[in-house]
Amino acid sequence: MFDAEANAFPITATSGDWTAPLSEIRVGQRVWDNNTLRVYAENNELQTYYVVELSRHDGQPITPGTYTDQKALVINKSLGCYDNTADFTVERLDIDAEGLLTAFDGAVEHRCGPEPDNALRVKVHFVRGDA
């Protein structure tokens, strides 16, 4: 589920609740940087995708908890914006014995620039299909 205010960027003035089968959600850690959590959402009907990457300024791994003023990158197709003051909450983060993320529940608030009404709020629920 996501809600982008009128001046949010790169996802602007839209909201939605993307679920299967029209949408595919993947959540994982970047291969080269296990301290960055990556959410990829693709909507086949709208022929678009969004990416949200979360990481901590101190470089430590993300674990369940609430984080304020941290790093978030949001991408809409080829346009992106970093927010170094994003807030996010991780309610569930399950990783299997092989180091693969199997379940995630969390939320993020991202802002791009100083304009008013520029928040993007995202809630993610993910469970790996074979988990």
Side-chain angles (χ1 to χ4, degrees):
M1 181 174 71
F2 63 94
D3 181 41
E5 294 180 344
N7 292 318
F9 182 83
I11 303 170
T12 305
T14 189
S15 62
D17 189 1
W18 290 7
T19 57
L22 295 177
S23 300
E24 178 183 359
I25 309 294
R26 294 186 302 241
V27 181
Q29 295 170 312
R30 290 195 315 208
V31 174
W32 64 91
D33 178 2
N34 284 334
N35 295 338
T36 298
L37 188 70
R38 185 173 201 266
V39 177
Y40 175 89
E42 181 176 0
N43 185 297
N44 296 323
E45 185 177 56
L46 299 175
Q47 296 183 341
T48 194
Y49 68 89
Y50 300 146
V51 175
V52 176
E53 291 188 351
L54 306 173
S55 58
R56 295 173 46 172
H57 286 295
D58 63 9
Q60 295 300 307
I62 294 173
T63 58
T66 298
Y67 300 87
T68 57
D69 294 332
Q70 298 300 316
K71 297 189 285 186
L73 167 65
V74 172
I75 299 170
N76 177 4
K77 295 188 180 178
S78 62
L79 300 174
C81 183
Y82 278 101
D83 178 2
N84 284 315
T85 62
D87 299 331
F88 58 89
T89 299
V90 176
E91 296 169 1
R92 178 181 181 189
L93 182 67
D94 296 348
I95 299 173
D96 68 14
E98 296 169 358
L100 297 175
L101 193 142
T102 58
F104 174 79
D105 286 304
V108 62
E109 183 169 315
H110 173 273
R111 295 181 183 273
C112 186
E115 296 83 9
D117 301 322
N118 72 346
L120 167 67
R121 294 174 188 88
V122 178
K123 290 185 180 182
V124 177
H125 169 73
F126 169 81
V127 176
R128 185 172 301 277
D130 57 359

